[in-house]
Amino acid sequence: MNTKYIFVTGGVASSLGKGIIAASLAKLLQARRLRVTIQKFDPYINIDPGTLNPYEHGECYVTEDGAETDLDLGHYERFLGIHTSKANNVTTGKIYHTVITKEREGAYLGKTVQIVPHITDEIKRRMLLLGKTGEYDVIITEVGGTVGDMESQPFVEAMRQLQWEMPEEDFLSIHLTLIPYLKAAKELKTKPTQHSVQELQALGVHPDIIVCRTEKELSPELRHKIALFCNVKPGHVIQSIDAWSIYQVPLNMEAEKLDNMVVEKLEIPDLPEPDLDALKAFLDRLKHPEHEVDVALVGKYVELQDAYKSIQESFVHAGAANACKVNVHTIHAEHLNDVNADELLGKMNGILVAPGFGERGLEGKICAVKYAREHGIPFFGICLGMQMAVVEFARNVLGYADAASTEVNPRTSHPVIDLMEDQKSTTIKGGTMRLGAYKCRLVEGTLAHKIYGTDVVSERHRHRYEFNNKYLLPMQDAGLTISGVNPDTGLVEIVELPSHPFFIATQFHPEYKSTPEHPQPLFVHFVRACMSNRLTSSNI
Ligand code: GLN
């Protein structure tokens, strides 16, 4: 069988959840034993989102091979349980960078370099790249942005060309649109969808299937009307109704027969029915929790729900694993201080201090660590959260009053967190952090070792600063346990406080590897510790 290519575009509005639809379809096809991956093409000129503020674009997701990518790749990995890579996220910036580099090398032999064909050729090359590895039967490409935007036009043009260059049964186009409900008229409206499909068709791309995001059920008449006006087969207009969980969407898509339409058009014969038992079991646990906990997520990008996406999702997975509803309360680190800590954190069963960069909100994060440490509240620090746990310990247990990370105070007399050696000569910001998967050796007898149940783990990283090993001995003497270390470099990866009910902090980002079917063990045990905390506090 040839590799099959499915393209997902979006119309009418952004944030309709193209990533979730792409991932849901991929899940259904994978559950029918096809080898599937998903890639995202983003229309911005940044080479990757690594240099973007989370307020601009939500969380930056990191892959095993150290690519800083769009958060949709997190959904792909979580839904499919596969690893994505650098090749799975392409931006306009990357495309232009390649073309301009080639131009400087003289590769175009004196030709005028143009959007068509040179940029579109490079887009097409990348759209087909993963298919050439022979590892996949189906490649789903999510085209970022909204059809009609000037900036995503070259992607749509590349799709148009591919549509004719490959056999008809190898290409499929899905358009995701919004059907707004007008309360005053008590009606669902199809006009924006009609216009969006017209726009797509004017660019030469004909959608095979239209998926309609909607708050209310679409009647057969409405579906028929959309099919008629948008020139797609009757029956190829399906609904994606607001779901109680994103993990329910694959089942909703199955009920709409999306996978059947796709395999039929792509002429893929003899597939078994989807095996979705593990997903259904997860959803069942998620829907019927027996316990409940309140967890504080202390960060500085809390206004934007997507800024800590992988952490939020990890709590969903870990909650389901414990039959526990985890209420995550985002707390603005900037608003937190020793005076209001009791009011803001006192009722929490656990405190997680989030990753981050720069000075804003740091003192609030330190205050959250202190509160958790002194009150025996389960604590989990991630990356900057770990670094601030170390700073707090140095200040308040060791008595190094001005202890700090040199990220914010290069003149501190106690640089307990300092720039990594190989970062000192780095001047370029993009893609130069310590990124991707590294090994961590766990120390026997520690909480981390008990939780993971193994000697060596691999987790993903994204940082420039590290625990300063000059402080190893005084910290250990004062009661901080180093429970995980990089076996090759000696970099400290995990710290914990054995004198505390549950206090663990990691330099790496465990949240990137959590999936519904394989919840991340540190999150699972943190939630468990929060459950015990709730029990003991309600007994008081
Ligand atoms: N700013 C810190 C560093 O670069 C932490 C980064 C993070 O939390 N991802 O080391």
Side-chain angles (χ1 to χ4, degrees):
M1 184 179 95
N2 288 344
T3 309
K4 307 290 182 180
Y5 292 89
I6 301 173
F7 293 86
V8 182
T9 54
V12 179
S14 58
S15 307
L16 292 183
K18 272 199 302 284
I20 302 294
I21 293 295
S24 297
L25 172 59
K27 178 81 188 167
L28 291 177
L29 297 177
Q30 187 193 52
R32 300 183 76 164
R33 305 233 189 93
L34 290 168
R35 298 169 306 157
V36 190
T37 194
I38 319 181
Q39 54 186 354
K40 171 128 194 225
F41 278 61
D42 273 312
Y44 50 74
I45 294 175
N46 304 61
I47 296 283
D48 59 44
T51 53
L52 286 174
N53 186 315
Y55 285 131
E56 293 280 317
H57 207 64
E59 166 188 278
C60 173
Y61 185 77
V62 179
T63 57
E64 286 288 291
D65 65 348
E68 296 177 284
T69 70
D70 186 79
L71 61 80
D72 273 332
L73 272 81
H75 291 308
Y76 307 162
E77 292 207 1
R78 289 187 281 270
F79 274 62
L80 299 180
I82 59 163
H83 289 160
T84 56
S85 70
K86 285 193 169 79
N88 293 70
N89 194 189
V90 176
T91 65
T92 292
K94 275 190 190 162
I95 302 282
Y96 272 81
H97 190 262
T98 307
V99 171
I100 292 170
T101 307
K102 271 172 76 180
E103 186 275 332
R104 291 290 82 185
E105 287 165 355
Y108 294 106
L109 305 174
K111 286 270 180 232
T112 308
V113 181
Q114 294 177 299
I115 294 183
V116 182
H118 302 101
I119 293 294
T120 48
D121 278 354
E122 177 58 18
I123 297 172
K124 286 193 293 181
R125 187 185 72 80
R126 296 209 187 219
M127 282 175 166
L128 301 180
L129 211 55
L130 284 167
K132 299 244 154 71
T133 62
E135 285 172 39
Y136 305 104
D137 304 311
V138 181
I139 310 287
I140 301 183
T141 302
E142 180 189 345
V143 177
T146 307
V147 167
D149 290 352
M150 182 196 274
E151 48 178 23
S152 55
Q153 266 194 28
F155 294 150
V156 179
E157 167 60 16
M159 273 176 68
R160 185 195 69 77
Q161 294 176 22
L162 284 175
Q163 164 180 252
W164 304 123
E165 285 166 11
M166 57 175 76
E168 212 180 313
E169 67 276 14
D170 291 351
F171 178 97
L172 184 127
S173 152
I174 297 178
H175 191 55
L176 176 68
T177 73
L178 174 71
I179 307 288
Y181 178 73
L182 291 193
K183 261 204 196 113
K186 293 204 178 60
E187 252 188 298
L188 287 162
K189 290 296 185 189
T190 65
K191 194 73 79 190
T193 294
Q194 294 177 37
H195 284 165
S196 166
V197 174
Q198 270 166 22
E199 190 114 32
L200 188 60
Q201 284 176 339
L203 297 171
V205 173
H206 185 80
D208 296 292
I209 299 168
I210 299 176
V211 180
C212 302
R213 285 284 285 113
T214 173
E215 287 170 44
K216 308 232 178 247
E217 292 278 340
L218 296 191
S219 65
E221 295 74 35
L222 209 79
R223 292 171 191 236
H224 192 78
K225 180 176 170 190
I226 296 168
L228 186 68
F229 281 94
C230 296
N231 195 23
V232 301
K233 274 194 191 162
H236 279 209
V237 175
I238 65 172
Q239 70 177 17
S240 170
I241 202 156
D242 291 355
W244 65 273
S245 159
I246 53 171
Y247 302 106
Q248 172 67 32
V249 180
L251 300 180
N252 292 356
M253 290 302 101
E254 188 196 19
E256 290 287 316
K257 303 197 169 48
L258 177 60
D259 55 323
N260 286 345
M261 280 171 216
V262 166
V263 297
E264 203 177 292
K265 157 79 183 23
L266 295 176
E267 297 180 6
I268 311 175
D270 305 328
L271 289 179
E273 285 301 303
D275 174 4
L276 295 162
D277 289 351
L279 176 66
K280 286 179 187 161
F282 163 78
L283 283 166
D284 195 51
R285 289 193 297 275
L286 189 63
K287 206 168 196 168
H288 303 106
E290 291 156 25
H291 315 276
E292 189 168 353
V293 290
D294 293 293
V295 173
L297 167 58
V298 181
K300 71 168 176 176
Y301 308 111
V302 295
E303 300 86 345
L304 190 78
Q305 60 167 5
D306 279 352
Y308 301 109
K309 194 79 205 163
S310 294
I311 293 177
Q312 300 271 12
E313 291 305 316
S314 298
F315 275 125
V316 175
H317 311 153
N322 285 300
C324 178
K325 181 168 189 276
V326 182
N327 304 314
V328 180
H329 304 267
T330 48
I331 294 187
H332 212 309
E334 262 181 308
H335 300 161
L336 196 60
N337 52 51
D338 286 335
V339 178
N340 64 16
D342 207 36
E343 180 196 331
L344 293 173
L345 300 173
K347 291 200 179 64
M348 297 295 162
N349 307 119
I351 297 174
L352 185 146
V353 175
F357 294 84
E359 190 165 12
R360 190 166 67 86
L362 269 197
E363 290 304 319
K365 286 188 170 174
I366 293 170
C367 162
V369 179
K370 179 164 178 260
Y371 191 86
R373 186 177 57 77
E374 291 181 343
H375 291 79
I377 299 177
F379 172 80
F380 191 3
I382 298 181
C383 206
L384 185 66
M386 174 269 201
Q387 297 176 353
M388 290 311 104
V390 170
V391 169
E392 194 279 329
F393 189 83
R395 284 188 191 173
N396 299 325
V397 178
L398 280 166
Y400 303 157
D402 78 333
S405 164
T406 52
E407 181 176 2
V408 292
N409 181 5
R411 280 180 296 280
T412 169
S413 47
H414 291 291
V416 290
I417 301 293
D418 200 7
L419 202 57
M420 281 182 278
E421 206 42 50
D422 56 1
Q423 288 289 329
K424 290 187 176 152
S425 52
T426 306
T427 49
I428 303 271
K429 288 275 181 277
T432 56
M433 280 188 248
R434 181 180 183 222
L435 290 166
Y438 286 90
K439 285 205 177 100
C440 167
R441 182 178 296 284
L442 304 172
V443 179
E444 234 171 284
T446 61
L447 179 62
H449 191 272
K450 195 174 126 218
I451 289 176
Y452 277 106
T454 182
D455 293 337
V456 179
V457 294
S458 166
E459 295 280 6
R460 299 183 197 169
H461 293 254
R462 183 173 187 245
H463 61 112
R464 287 186 206 285
Y465 293 81
E466 59 161 325
F467 181 102
N468 184 346
N469 276 341
K470 283 184 200 133
Y471 289 89
L472 211 51
L473 286 180
M475 295 267 185
Q476 283 174 321
D477 286 347
L480 189 77
T481 291
I482 309 301
S483 51
V485 175
N486 179 296
D488 304 316
T489 57
L491 291 181
V492 169
E493 299 281 12
I494 315 178
V495 301
E496 52 190 72
L497 281 179
S499 56
H500 187 281
F502 187 102
F503 189 106
I504 198 159
T506 63
Q507 183 58 80
F508 53 75
H509 289 257
E511 72 273 22
Y512 291 140
K513 279 174 74 172
S514 187
T515 71
E517 287 159 37
H518 296 284
Q520 211 285 339
L522 294 170
F523 276 90
V524 172
H525 284 260
F526 176 57
V527 169
R528 210 165 281 170
C530 298
M531 287 158 62
S532 312
N533 173 276
R534 187 167 183 109
L535 273 179
T536 28
S537 21
S538 60
N539 286 344
I540 296 168

